[in-house]
Amino acid sequence: MNFKRIQWIFLVAFLIFDIVVISTLLVQNRFTISNGSYNQQTMIIKEMHGDAISCGPLSNRQQTGYYLSGSRSSDNGQLEQQVSRLRNQDCRFNDDELTSELNTPVKINPRHPAKRLDRMVANPRLIALGSDYQYSPSLSDKNVVIYSQRVANRSLFTNEGQIRFRLNANHEVTGYTQTYLENVKTLRPQETVISQQHAVAWLYKHNLIPNNSQVRWAKLAYTKLLATNNHNQAVYLPTWVVEIKTKNSGTVQRIRVNAFNSTVLKGTPANVNTDDKTN
Amino acid sequence: MIRKLKTNWLSIALAVVVIVSLVLSGIIWTNPFQYERPRKEVLSNQAQQMTTQSMGDLYLPTTVVKTNKNNKQEMLYSQKENLVLQLQKTIKHWQLGHASVVKTNNSDVYLGYLRQANSITLTYPDEVAGSTFNQTFSQSIDSDRVKQVNHIVIPLNGRHEIYLLSDHHYGVYRVRISKGDVTKLWKVGKQAQRVPVDHKIVNGQAVMVYLRSFSLPVLSYQVNRQKIDNLSTNLLGTSRRTNIATHHYDNKTTYTDGTNRRLVYHQQNGTINYENDISKDNVDSTSQLPSHFYNVLVKAGMPLDNIRYDGESSHGRVLTYRTYAGGSPIINENGYGGAKMQATTGGIERYWMSLYTIQVPLPTEEQNVKLAATSTVLNELHANSHFKDLHGIRVGYLWKTSNSQVVKLVPTYFVRYRGNWVDYTEFIK
């Protein structure tokens, strides 16, 4: 082997070494610049489209919310006290729930049920405490129209504050059931919550959105975090409720994400014993 | 010359690449962190995804005081509105300009600015660096000039300036508002409760005193108990090394991972001590510690929504964090709900933490607690033989365990005794 060839070999070897080291240094620098959480989220949303997950535009707006407490209106509660004022219906209050049959069914437009029902809900002789409820299109379907109670300027997505209007095949409301959350109190001053985009990106990152599916909606609403034995009061918090439909099987699931700390809320809320054992 | 170059070009090119490789090796050798850092950064960012709190939110002022046109001060307090958050959001939209020194080393002038008529004052529990102020409020004031901040005084009479006050040497700094609308702050705290207060200089620090007796609610929270296995893995574990050895001895468990890191868990009270010898060369500088400790808290899995920076000691080498409820710190002899972190210039990092944190408030039927005026409390304490050893007085919440799931937080005065905050009633028994 002559000297020139050795020189050639060395030149190539060092050149490769230099290129590799320089490129790793550059790549690392680029990474540190571009991994702000905002960019990460938009990248994740792009990745989702690659996995055939479709979703509408997601908002990045910062919103706020509270920890709230309240109890379901029961015997002699606010809801039952209103019952005597109701007209043109047969109603009874049982198990903390008002069940009513309308004397004459109310015809509604199945595409825009709120057009007719908003008027009915606003009338205190037809619906008790109706001004506290608002139409929830995302929870309603062709058999039931749901009005959710509003607490702290947001809807309550639990069955403790809802009016469920039953529809028959002729798109007529024949009756309804109603629950009411009373004694709603703020437990902690307002705090910021995660954005809609953050919530959906988080679900995807933790493999909770299956491939080939559709994110139908993601709404920020109050849901129940836990129940206590203190006068049956429960704790509610802002939650991103996300509905996902699998395209092949057509199954629909709803996932709740705690909007304060982005954890998934599963199963029935826990019970907390607030008794003071030290006394 | 050119011919010479042409005949020897191979040797010259070889020499060039060898020199380049030597330079690159030198860079990696002298600064191995360039290789380590990005990995660390990515890790902490993943953890950040879990929390909505950025570093600036950990180092927030905690007290809001409004001064009326007659220089009377009232602390604003609300169960519903988050006044600090509202003010932070507003100031973030401002553009602060040039900062200039107004006066230093004059406590009377200092108090005058702190009691400025028609203003809102935001106060930190203890001093923060100018750079930390910048981070919290998205500003870029000259942190070499404004080294420390204790109070932010915002005049509400339309002057386009704010004052940053530093208890250290009684520094008063004026900062121009080049863009921003102060009139938006007029409505802040309109619905809040008001407690009459005043500021006094005690032992070289501006202390807020309560002029009359007032009442605060008793709060109730659900207690989270983090699993020691999670906490030890969070603090000791890395992606590369996961073999953690444990050693039980006398209600204590020691976790080691074969490096210089060690974690001791005290089963009896659920507290941990962590120690890591990272050597003198690798220890963070004092200005980097606030962000370094933020990253550690995130990594440890602390729920940061109620946790605030509460104080510093040892010239900024020890920082304390506490859970805040209703604007006041929660104080507990075992450090529940908080953390104390130290990084010595000698290269040793120590953390004191506990497994217990609180996050979810619970409804409670407890009656409000009536607290006396600060002067009344001081008079009561005067009789105690330890009075001269008491430094500082503040209102906070005492952690009282109700049962394994629930803690009751009772408001009371705390006095600083031998470096710790102690319930004042301990001294008037």
Side-chain angles (χ1 to χ4, degrees):
Chain A
M1 228 196 294
N2 62 21
F3 182 62
K4 204 155 189 174
R5 184 176 277 176
I6 294 170
Q7 272 187 317
W8 264 110
I9 293 169
F10 268 83
L11 182 71
V12 171
F14 272 99
L15 214 65
I16 292 170
F17 174 82
D18 288 353
I19 290 167
V20 167
V21 173
I22 288 174
S23 60
T24 47
L25 283 176
L26 286 180
V27 163
Q28 276 175 0
N29 281 339
R30 206 187 60 216
F31 258 104
T32 28
I33 293 163
S34 71
N35 66 18
S37 67
Y38 172 75
N39 283 335
Q40 251 178 345
Q41 278 169 27
T42 33
M43 260 160 62
I44 289 170
I45 302 291
K46 270 189 196 146
E47 259 177 63
M48 279 170 55
H49 292 299
D51 280 343
I53 296 168
S54 59
C55 65
L58 296 170
S59 154
N60 218 358
R61 194 162 68 95
Q62 270 215 333
Q63 303 187 60
T64 53
Y66 305 91
Y67 276 105
L68 300 174
S69 70
S71 55
R72 194 163 158 167
S73 191
S74 57
D75 291 343
N76 293 320
Q78 265 175 284
L79 184 58
E80 197 186 9
Q81 282 169 21
Q82 299 288 324
V83 169
S84 57
R85 299 174 66 187
L86 298 176
R87 298 287 176 271
N88 302 330
Q89 53 195 291
D90 260 346
C91 52
R92 59 178 191 283
F93 192 78
N94 239 340
D95 290 337
D96 307 342
E97 188 175 70
L98 176 73
T99 310
S100 172
E101 300 293 332
L102 299 181
N103 293 350
T104 38
V106 175
K107 178 90 178 165
I108 59 157
N109 177 346
R111 288 196 185 171
H112 306 286
K115 266 187 183 171
R116 175 72 186 83
L117 288 178
D118 272 354
R119 262 189 292 148
M120 185 172 160
V121 170
N123 185 343
R125 288 185 175 277
L126 294 174
I127 300 287
L129 305 163
S131 57
D132 289 348
Y133 296 81
Q134 200 178 57
Y135 174 49
S136 288
S138 40
L139 300 182
S140 308
D141 58 32
K142 62 181 195 300
N143 300 317
V144 194
V145 177
I146 291 180
Y147 273 65
S148 301
Q149 189 182 339
R150 300 281 289 176
V151 288
N153 291 324
R154 282 192 205 296
S155 295
L156 185 67
F157 272 19
T158 65
N159 55 7
E160 280 115 352
Q162 268 183 356
I163 308 175
R164 306 170 71 92
F165 292 102
R166 282 188 307 279
L167 300 184
N168 64 16
N170 301 327
H171 313 304
E172 288 171 334
V173 174
T174 55
Y176 66 90
T177 58
Q178 182 178 8
T179 51
Y180 187 71
L181 191 73
E182 64 183 12
N183 201 9
V184 177
K185 277 187 257 173
T186 314
L187 295 178
R188 197 186 73 170
Q190 199 173 35
E191 283 291 343
T192 42
V193 300
I194 59 170
S195 69
Q196 191 185 37
Q197 194 182 65
H198 185 141
V200 173
W202 192 89
L203 283 179
Y204 173 73
K205 239 178 82 179
H206 291 80
N207 288 324
L208 290 160
I209 306 180
N211 287 355
N212 198 16
S213 62
Q214 183 199 4
V215 177
R216 292 170 84 179
W217 48 263
K219 293 237 153 89
L220 188 60
Y222 280 93
T223 68
K224 190 159 154 179
L225 177 67
L226 49 88
T228 73
N229 60 348
N230 178 359
H231 298 90
N232 284 324
Q233 292 182 89
V235 176
Y236 298 83
L237 89 169
T239 321
W240 282 104
V241 184
V242 184
E243 186 172 279
I244 298 159
K245 186 181 178 184
T246 320
K247 280 173 190 160
N248 294 338
S249 61
T251 47
V252 174
Q253 56 162 338
R254 278 188 202 147
I255 307 179
R256 297 194 296 143
V257 184
N258 179 332
F260 280 134
N261 65 9
S262 50
T263 48
V264 170
L265 299 169
K266 279 183 189 155
T268 47
N271 262 300
V272 173
N273 179 3
T274 54
D275 292 342
D276 202 336
K277 283 185 186 156
T278 52
N279 288 345
Chain B
M1 174 73 186
I2 292 170
R3 193 189 297 159
K4 228 177 183 177
L5 268 176
K6 266 186 180 166
T7 48
N8 287 325
W9 75 270
L10 190 61
S11 321
I12 293 165
L14 184 57
V16 169
V17 290
V18 169
I19 289 166
V20 168
S21 67
L22 279 177
V23 169
L24 288 173
S25 319
I27 291 174
I28 297 167
W29 237 302
T30 53
N31 201 356
F33 269 103
Q34 285 207 324
Y35 262 117
E36 301 283 340
R37 268 279 151 76
R39 201 171 291 138
K40 212 164 124 187
E41 223 93 28
V42 169
L43 253 179
S44 71
N45 253 326
Q46 277 172 352
Q48 263 173 42
Q49 287 268 310
M50 299 285 292
T51 120
T52 43
Q53 280 71 35
S54 64
M55 181 200 146
D57 297 332
L58 186 63
Y59 298 91
L60 272 175
T62 51
T63 314
V64 182
V65 169
K66 202 163 185 175
T67 315
N68 73 5
K69 58 181 190 296
N70 303 320
N71 299 74
K72 293 268 179 290
Q73 297 195 309
E74 286 173 319
M75 188 193 75
L76 304 184
Y77 159 83
S78 174
Q79 276 276 67
K80 202 168 175 191
E81 284 177 288
N82 191 331
L83 303 171
V84 175
L85 183 76
Q86 285 175 13
L87 288 163
Q88 184 199 18
K89 272 187 178 169
T90 311
I91 299 173
K92 268 186 168 179
H93 287 114
W94 293 356
Q95 203 182 325
L96 295 181
H98 183 68
S100 55
V101 184
V102 178
K103 189 89 186 172
T104 52
N105 292 319
N106 185 326
S107 60
D108 292 334
V109 172
Y110 187 76
L111 265 186
Y113 275 96
L114 192 51
R115 290 205 196 109
Q116 200 169 143
N118 209 357
S119 66
I120 279 194
T121 305
L122 280 158
T123 298
Y124 287 97
D126 202 351
E127 61 193 38
V128 300
S131 52
T132 308
F133 166 86
N134 281 340
Q135 190 115 23
T136 304
F137 295 102
S138 310
Q139 299 298 339
S140 51
I141 60 156
D142 182 357
S143 57
D144 283 331
R145 178 162 294 155
V146 186
K147 286 206 167 65
Q148 284 147 349
V149 183
N150 286 81
H151 314 272
I152 305 159
V153 181
I154 309 165
L156 295 174
N157 52 7
R159 264 181 292 159
H160 272 267
E161 58 198 21
I162 65 167
Y163 295 89
L164 300 180
L165 271 55
S166 160
D167 285 359
H168 189 65
H169 292 309
Y170 306 120
V172 180
Y173 305 90
R174 179 188 288 121
V175 185
R176 300 271 320 150
I177 305 173
S178 23
K179 221 167 80 191
D181 186 6
V182 181
T183 55
K184 274 188 182 165
L185 298 184
W186 287 356
K187 60 175 197 302
V188 167
K190 274 269 188 282
Q191 278 130 41
Q193 281 166 279
R194 285 146 188 266
V195 180
V197 293
D198 195 12
H199 282 87
K200 287 199 163 65
I201 303 279
V202 180
N203 296 331
Q205 273 210 311
V207 175
M208 189 172 81
V209 293
Y210 297 83
L211 297 175
R212 275 179 246 144
S213 74
F214 61 104
S215 57
L216 285 177
V218 173
L219 304 171
S220 175
Y221 272 82
Q222 185 186 22
V223 177
N224 287 353
R225 191 195 156 101
Q226 203 181 0
K227 289 198 178 75
I228 179 64
D229 291 346
N230 289 349
L231 189 61
S232 60
T233 323
N234 287 346
L235 284 176
L236 296 175
T238 60
S239 48
R240 283 164 293 169
R241 209 180 286 110
T242 45
N243 298 329
I244 299 174
T246 57
H247 176 69
H248 297 272
Y249 177 76
D250 230 23
N251 280 335
K252 269 193 248 172
T253 313
T254 308
Y255 295 77
T256 45
D257 70 342
T259 63
N260 294 326
R261 294 184 291 185
R262 208 161 71 98
L263 187 149
V264 181
Y265 165 51
H266 305 269
Q267 265 140 319
Q268 240 155 10
N269 54 11
T271 58
I272 64 140
N273 302 345
Y274 168 93
E275 197 173 294
N276 186 8
D277 188 350
I278 52 171
S279 93
K280 213 171 170 170
D281 304 326
N282 293 331
V283 74
D284 284 289
S285 69
T286 310
S287 62
Q288 289 169 329
L289 286 182
S291 68
H292 173 60
F293 288 157
Y294 164 76
N295 284 328
V296 174
L297 288 173
V298 171
K299 198 177 151 200
M302 279 270 225
L304 290 183
D305 40 356
N306 299 315
I307 293 185
R308 298 277 178 275
Y309 157 76
D310 191 60
E312 58 97 40
S313 52
S314 307
H315 303 284
R317 304 301 303 183
V318 179
L319 302 185
T320 312
Y321 304 87
R322 286 184 208 279
T323 301
Y324 268 71
S328 299
I330 295 168
I331 296 173
N332 171 276
E333 58 181 16
N334 291 323
Y336 292 161
K340 190 164 128 184
M341 307 177 119
Q342 178 185 37
T344 66
T345 42
I348 295 183
E349 284 193 353
R350 294 191 187 92
Y351 313 147
W352 294 266
M353 295 183 184
S354 80
L355 300 182
Y356 298 103
T357 54
I358 59 169
Q359 203 170 11
V360 180
L362 298 172
T364 171
E365 314 294 316
E366 297 273 348
Q367 294 283 311
N368 283 4
V369 170
K370 197 163 185 186
L371 296 179
T374 310
S375 54
T376 316
V377 173
L378 288 175
N379 283 340
E380 280 182 65
L381 287 168
H382 208 87
N384 190 283
S385 55
H386 292 294
F387 185 72
K388 59 180 190 309
D389 302 322
L390 304 181
H391 306 281
I393 183 162
R394 71 195 300 194
V395 167
Y397 282 97
L398 193 65
W399 176 294
K400 280 194 171 169
T401 308
S402 288
N403 60 41
S404 61
Q405 285 179 298
V406 178
V407 61
K408 198 161 74 174
L409 304 172
V410 185
T412 181
Y413 277 97
F414 289 88
V415 284
R416 201 174 176 84
Y417 177 67
R418 293 186 179 161
N420 294 316
W421 290 101
V422 183
D423 180 7
Y424 88 105
T425 53
E426 305 268 324
F427 292 94
I428 53 169
K429 274 172 188 163

